[in-house]
Amino acid sequence: MRILLHRADGQTEPWIKDFARHLPEAEVVVWRADDAPPPCDYAITWAPPEAMLPALAEVKAIFLTGAGADGILKFDARLPHNVPIVRLGDAGMGVQMAEYVTHAVLRYYRRFDEYEAQARAGQWTPLPQHNREDFSIGVLGMGVLGARVLQALKEFGFPLRAWSRSEKSMDGVQCFHGQDGLDTFLRGSRVAVCLLPLTPDTANILNRSNMSKLPQGAYLINVARGAHVAEPDLLTLVKSGHIAAATLDVFRNEPLPVQHPFWQEPRITITPHISALTLRRESVQQIAGKIRQIERGEPVADVINRQQGY
């Protein structure tokens, strides 16, 4: 068995060592632009370079080193549809995402962002607390990561809401779905958390029209993809005060350019795409297990629905 491995960061040796431990029967070949790879049974990548596409068309399955698929589905028309594309399930990302979002929510609920600004200005002014029953949290996306975030937030007693493309349910969460449910979801969400997959239908979903439906003084947390947010619209709504503050971990251009106006807006908190990092060992174990399932002729979980985009 031969596995073709592509890492944009070039850090392939640790992955090769982990595969030697968890799938010793496999030979791992590193994809290089200047060297045509030998025939391979499987491929592992995230956002493959265009030159890699011919090799991807020859494998039994393509495994992604992340939960989303937008990095590869931009080439969907050039990949045979009989080759399944398999994303990671949780693989340790769920708890990281829950930590990040919970921190951001509590920072706004307890007004720590305002206390941070006061401290920098040398001010000592206790502020009235938000009412918990009015501090509704709305999560866009109810996949593995969205569900994990909602589960973590349940512990704090906030009113919880969620929106998904198709109808879903979760105990203790008011669920909405489809275009008809989006307006109602937005109008009742004091904090909007984006955990959607990036598809043609969800690109720019957080535009001026939709973000204006959030209550006055709402908060935005985006840990999905930068293209979900119309960045100039968000900046306008933050400056107007309609959106009180935003925490953003993802951007249309990464690293975020130094001249980007977000850097100069103190009410926008920026982190460098670290909300849920791929954990290598957990990912290798999961991919190795799925390869063995395929070799035994068994179905595997987390196969991308290429029509839906996730």
Side-chain angles (χ1 to χ4, degrees):
M1 181 194 306
R2 187 176 289 130
I3 298 173
L4 182 62
L5 173 65
H6 168 255
R7 293 286 303 170
D9 60 8
Q11 302 299 311
T12 56
E13 282 304 314
W15 287 77
I16 292 171
K17 289 179 180 178
D18 282 343
F19 270 108
R21 182 178 302 113
H22 296 290
L23 198 67
E25 64 268 35
E27 174 192 0
V28 178
V29 176
V30 177
W31 185 87
R32 294 183 174 85
D34 57 353
D35 187 17
C40 292
D41 300 286
Y42 301 96
I44 299 171
T45 184
W46 168 241
E50 189 171 2
M52 190 181 180
L53 297 183
L56 294 180
E58 301 298 326
V59 299
K60 298 178 187 177
I62 301 166
F63 290 90
L64 304 180
T65 55
D70 48 291
I72 192 170
L73 288 185
K74 62 185 177 183
F75 298 123
D76 186 47
R78 298 173 59 183
L79 290 171
H81 278 220
N82 64 317
V83 176
I85 300 172
V86 187
R87 62 176 175 81
L88 288 178
D90 187 320
M93 290 183 287
V95 67
Q96 296 179 74
M97 193 66 81
E99 291 167 351
Y100 184 102
V101 173
T102 299
H103 173 271
V105 166
L106 293 179
R107 180 169 173 258
Y108 292 137
Y109 173 65
R110 293 296 305 272
R111 306 185 74 164
F112 291 142
D113 60 324
E114 296 172 80
Y115 287 125
E116 290 164 8
Q118 284 189 15
R120 288 191 294 269
Q123 297 175 358
W124 181 288
T125 308
L127 301 170
Q129 286 200 23
H130 291 297
N131 292 323
R132 190 182 304 270
E133 59 270 21
D134 297 330
F135 210 78
S136 55
I137 316 299
V139 175
L140 291 142
M142 292 184 69
V144 172
L145 299 182
R148 183 66 181 83
V149 166
L150 286 163
Q151 196 63 46
L153 289 171
K154 281 184 180 182
E155 300 298 321
F156 297 94
F158 296 115
L160 297 179
R161 304 156 65 84
W163 180 85
S164 54
R165 180 176 177 269
S166 57
E167 187 172 4
K168 294 186 178 181
S169 63
M170 185 175 183
D171 288 345
V173 179
Q174 188 178 9
C175 296
F176 303 84
H177 71 278
Q179 191 58 45
D180 292 342
L182 183 59
D183 283 6
T184 306
F185 165 84
L186 291 169
R187 295 186 193 281
S189 298
R190 182 68 181 277
V191 182
V193 181
C194 185
L195 274 157
L196 290 167
L198 181 61
T199 70
D201 290 335
T202 64
N204 290 311
I205 191 169
L206 293 168
N207 52 31
R208 184 179 303 201
S209 174
N210 281 336
M211 287 189 289
S212 295
K213 295 168 187 173
L214 295 168
Q216 177 72 25
Y219 301 90
L220 176 67
I221 301 167
N222 187 20
V223 287
R225 290 288 184 267
H228 285 122
V229 175
E231 293 179 347
D233 294 352
L234 173 60
L235 192 62
T236 297
L237 291 171
V238 169
K239 288 184 178 298
S240 74
H242 184 81
I243 291 184
T247 295
L248 307 176
D249 186 53
V250 287
F251 305 89
R252 289 176 180 268
N253 297 302
E254 297 181 1
L256 188 65
V258 294
Q259 69 273 19
H260 198 289
F262 281 174
W263 289 114
Q264 280 70 54
E265 175 48 67
R267 289 164 292 187
I268 294 180
T269 298
I270 294 166
T271 55
H273 205 144
I274 48 77
S275 55
L277 302 174
T278 298
L279 301 180
R280 187 189 69 250
R281 290 177 185 173
E282 289 83 347
S283 300
V284 168
Q285 285 180 286
Q286 187 177 125
I287 292 170
K290 289 177 177 177
I291 287 176
R292 287 202 172 104
Q293 284 180 284
I294 293 174
E295 290 293 301
R296 293 193 298 264
E298 299 171 0
V300 296
D302 305 311
V303 175
I304 298 295
N305 182 319
R306 290 163 74 159
Q307 288 186 326
Q308 293 179 349
Y310 56 90

